[in-house]
Amino acid sequence: MQLKPTRNFFCVLVATCIVSLSLSFTLASCAFLPAERHYREAQKKDTVEGYRAFLQEYPDKYFLSKDIRGRLEQLEYENAQKAGTVDAYRAFARSYPEFYLKFTVQQEIRRLEMKALLARLSAGASYEGFSATDAARIGAAAWNGKTYDLALKMLQHAVNQGHAGSNFGLAIMFWHSQGVTRDFERAIRHMRASPGQDSMAETMEQAYEISKANRSCSPVFEAPRGSFQIVNDGTCLRLAINPSSLEP
């Protein structure tokens, strides 16, 4: 004979499930309350130390720690801004490599480094005492600011010290006569010595050879900053190699 469950049996079963779920929820809430309280306290203080202490105590509270990490990152960035030093920005960049303003941080580091290098020059330091990398940075910044006499001196020093990339800036200066006497052959030599610029050097040489055969053809197409143009009208070949800025 098979016994059938009664209505009372089902009622007891449902009640038991409800009590179990309620108890589980209550226990979870009790476990969450201290983290929530400390989270509010950290928010009220709004300090790097307060947020770090919370993360150390509650590393597994994802929904709370995610907000905390975002605010901590912002506070650390503001502290780096207040310090205004290369070391402070570098330390921040190491701690937060994926910061949404990471390119701004990198630019600020380069700006501060350049400021320090220029301060050395202003204090009377000889350009010959600068490393190839530092000379390339100063030369590029000087070219960007159209201070061509300093750009020429520093870029040439960088090249002499083995910084091949600085040949590109020198090639532009001699091609477009920027603070120097125009010298097509020297411009082509510098462009050929610049990494990855063989094709450009070939085009420059071709334009120069055409101009030697036809004196009415100038190999240079004068254009404002930000221009890379090759003009071929069937008779003359002219080039504008004038980027908006140089990168060291």
Side-chain angles (χ1 to χ4, degrees), residues 76-92:
E76 295 269 35
Y77 177 60
E78 291 172 4
N79 287 343
Q81 286 182 305
K82 290 176 184 177
T85 65
V86 171
D87 288 342
Y89 278 110
R90 281 180 174 166
F92 175 81

Side-chain angles (χ1 to χ4, degrees), residues 73-202:
E73 188 176 52
Q74 186 63 39
L75 285 174
E76 295 269 35
Y77 177 60
E78 291 172 4
N79 287 343
Q81 286 182 305
K82 290 176 184 177
T85 65
V86 171
D87 288 342
Y89 278 110
R90 281 180 174 166
F92 175 81
R94 285 193 298 269
S95 299
Y96 303 97
E98 299 303 320
F99 185 54
Y100 74 102
L101 291 177
K102 62 181 178 181
F103 294 112
T104 301
V105 172
Q106 292 168 359
Q107 288 177 345
E108 191 62 17
I109 290 173
R110 287 196 293 269
R111 185 189 69 80
L112 290 169
E113 289 177 335
M114 183 57 59
K115 183 178 179 181
L117 291 173
L118 292 175
R120 284 176 58 192
L121 275 177
S122 297
S126 170
Y127 72 91
E128 294 179 351
F130 287 90
S131 68
T133 300
D134 288 344
R137 288 175 178 171
I138 296 175
W143 187 90
N144 294 340
K146 298 185 179 181
T147 310
Y148 294 125
D149 55 342
L150 179 59
L152 176 65
K153 185 183 298 183
M154 299 309 290
L155 290 175
Q156 187 62 64
H157 177 62
V159 167
N160 292 344
Q161 296 298 312
H163 194 280
S166 292
N167 280 290
F168 184 72
L170 291 173
I172 293 169
M173 294 180 70
F174 282 103
W175 188 259
H176 283 285
S177 188
Q178 296 172 338
V180 296
T181 302
R182 196 186 306 275
D183 188 331
F184 294 126
E185 293 182 356
R186 187 168 177 181
I188 293 167
R189 285 200 306 273
H190 281 300
M191 188 61 76
R192 199 177 298 281
S194 181
Q197 297 297 332
D198 289 341
S199 178
M200 179 63 73
E202 291 293 338

Side-chain angles (χ1 to χ4, degrees), residues 21-74:
L21 288 172
S22 299
L23 182 60
S24 298
F25 179 76
T26 301
L27 291 173
S29 298
C30 290
F32 187 75
L33 284 175
E36 175 69 18
R37 185 175 69 255
H38 290 166
Y39 173 66
R40 299 302 175 195
E41 291 173 356
Q43 279 189 314
K44 187 176 181 180
K45 293 179 181 178
D46 197 36
T47 63
V48 169
E49 293 74 19
Y51 289 131
R52 281 180 176 169
F54 175 87
L55 291 174
Q56 186 175 0
E57 190 169 357
Y58 303 101
D60 57 340
K61 295 292 185 275
Y62 176 75
F63 292 105
L64 296 179
S65 62
K66 184 179 180 181
D67 292 339
I68 289 284
R69 291 184 206 283
R71 180 56 183 155
L72 177 60
E73 188 176 52
Q74 186 63 39

Side-chain angles (χ1 to χ4, degrees), residues 188-242:
I188 293 167
R189 285 200 306 273
H190 281 300
M191 188 61 76
R192 199 177 298 281
S194 181
Q197 297 297 332
D198 289 341
S199 178
M200 179 63 73
E202 291 293 338
T203 306
M204 291 168 66
E205 188 167 20
Q206 183 181 358
Y208 177 51
E209 292 299 327
I210 291 173
S211 71
K212 289 196 295 182
N214 185 346
R215 296 294 182 181
S216 64
C217 288
S218 170
V220 179
F221 178 69
E222 297 295 353
R225 289 281 181 99
S227 301
F228 276 97
Q229 293 179 258
I230 299 176
V231 180
N232 189 344
D233 61 8
T235 303
C236 300
L237 180 63
R238 296 181 295 158
L239 281 76
I241 316 164
N242 204 11

